[in-house]
Amino acid sequence: MSLLDDDYPLLVPPNLAVAIGLKEAMILRQIHYWLKKSKDGWVYNSYPAWQKQFPFWSIDTIKRTIRSLEKSGYIISKQEASTYRRKHYTINYQAVDEIQ
């Protein structure tokens, strides 16, 4: 099997990447993907868990990109008050719709 076929693809709408940045668009799209499978409207992960989905980025890059999305208002997050230290994320779809 080739590297072109043996892994899941990360799909990013080009217009979204132009509007908010490629890294931001990739993470936002991944959160959207997981939200579609969520039962409570929130996605949770630790930064190392996000890095497993984006192994080509450092944890610091992922943190900066998520902070950028939070600051821009495209995602809303809350910290889990447990020993897992996971953050929960949801998308502010109204803010995303206003990008255009």
Side-chain angles (χ1 to χ4, degrees), residues 74-87:
Y74 301 132
I75 64 171
I76 299 163
S77 63
K78 62 183 180 180
Q79 185 74 43
E80 184 177 88
S82 75
T83 57
Y84 293 117
R85 301 273 312 144
R86 295 182 294 202
K87 282 180 79 174

Side-chain angles (χ1 to χ4, degrees), residues 53-92:
Q53 295 179 57
F54 302 103
F56 38 83
W57 291 336
S58 69
I59 288 177
D60 286 339
T61 296
I62 293 167
K63 285 180 183 179
R64 278 192 306 272
T65 306
I66 288 174
R67 281 191 213 116
S68 171
L69 288 165
E70 290 168 329
K71 185 177 176 184
S72 300
Y74 301 132
I75 64 171
I76 299 163
S77 63
K78 62 183 180 180
Q79 185 74 43
E80 184 177 88
S82 75
T83 57
Y84 293 117
R85 301 273 312 144
R86 295 182 294 202
K87 282 180 79 174
H88 294 250
Y89 306 91
T90 194
I91 294 177
N92 180 350

